[in-house]
Amino acid sequence: MSSAELFALIALATVGTFTPGPNTALSATLAANHGLRRALPFVCAVPAGWGVLLVLNAAGLGALVLGFPPLRWGLLAAGVLYLLWLAWKLASTQRLSDAAQGPIVGFKQGVMLQFINIKAWFLAMSVVSGWVIGHDDTPARLLETLPLFMFFGLASNFTYAWIGASLRHWLRGPNDTAQRLQWFNRLMALALLGTVVWMVRPALQTL
C-alpha cells in the first residue's frame, strides 16, 4: 500500500470513527451512567465487531447482503428498532440509581450492534472496495487495514467513554437529584434518534 493510499485510509478511519454516531454516543452514555469500567466491554466490542464485519465483507458477504433487498431492509429495521429502544430507555433514566437498573450494552450486544448498523456495512464495503480487493496483494492489504480501523475504533470509543466518565460526578448533581444527568441522557437519546435518521434516509432514497 502506497503512502498516499495509507494517508487516505487514515483520514477515512478518523472521520468514520471519531464523528458522533450510535457507537460513540453509547460509549459516552454508558460511562456517564455506569462508570468507565462498566463501559469498557462495549468500547472493546465496537472494534471487534467491526473487524469481523470487515473480514466478512472482504470475503464477499457485504455485496450479498447489500444486493439482497429483503436482508438489507431486515438489518436496517432491526438496527432502527434497537436504537429506538435504547433511546427510549435513556430518555426515561433520571438518576444514577435508575441507570443501575437500566440497559447495559455489553460486549456481546456491542458486537451484534455492528451487524445491524447498515452504515457500518456501507463503510466496510467502501474500505474493502477501495483499499483491499482488486489488488495482487489483497491478503496483505486486509492485514494492514484491519488493525488500523480496529485501533481507531477502540481509540474513538474509549475517548468518548472517558469524556462521559469525566462528567459523571458533575452530572450526578446534589443529592442524586441528577437533573443534569436526566438532560444528558435525553441529549444522548436525541443523538441516537439522529443516527436513526442518518441510517434510514439514504435507504429510503434508493426506493
Side-chain angles (χ1 to χ4, degrees), residues 78-161:
V80 166
L81 290 175
Y82 185 63
L83 291 177
L84 289 176
W85 177 76
L86 285 176
W88 175 73
K89 295 295 289 185
L90 283 175
S92 61
T93 300
Q94 300 181 3
R95 59 187 66 201
L96 292 178
S97 56
D98 296 335
Q101 302 175 2
I104 293 290
V105 185
F107 186 86
K108 181 179 179 181
Q109 294 89 341
V111 170
M112 295 305 298
L113 178 61
Q114 310 315 306
F115 286 85
I116 58 175
N117 183 353
I118 198 67
K119 283 293 185 179
W121 282 94
F122 279 116
L123 178 59
M125 282 285 292
S126 299
V127 172
V128 167
S129 61
W131 281 269
V132 178
I133 62 175
H135 301 273
D136 295 335
D137 56 343
T138 293
R141 284 172 172 265
L142 180 60
L143 291 177
E144 289 177 329
T145 304
L146 181 60
L148 177 68
F149 264 86
M150 291 182 69
F151 170 77
F152 272 86
L154 179 64
S156 63
N157 282 276
F158 182 83
T159 299
Y160 276 85

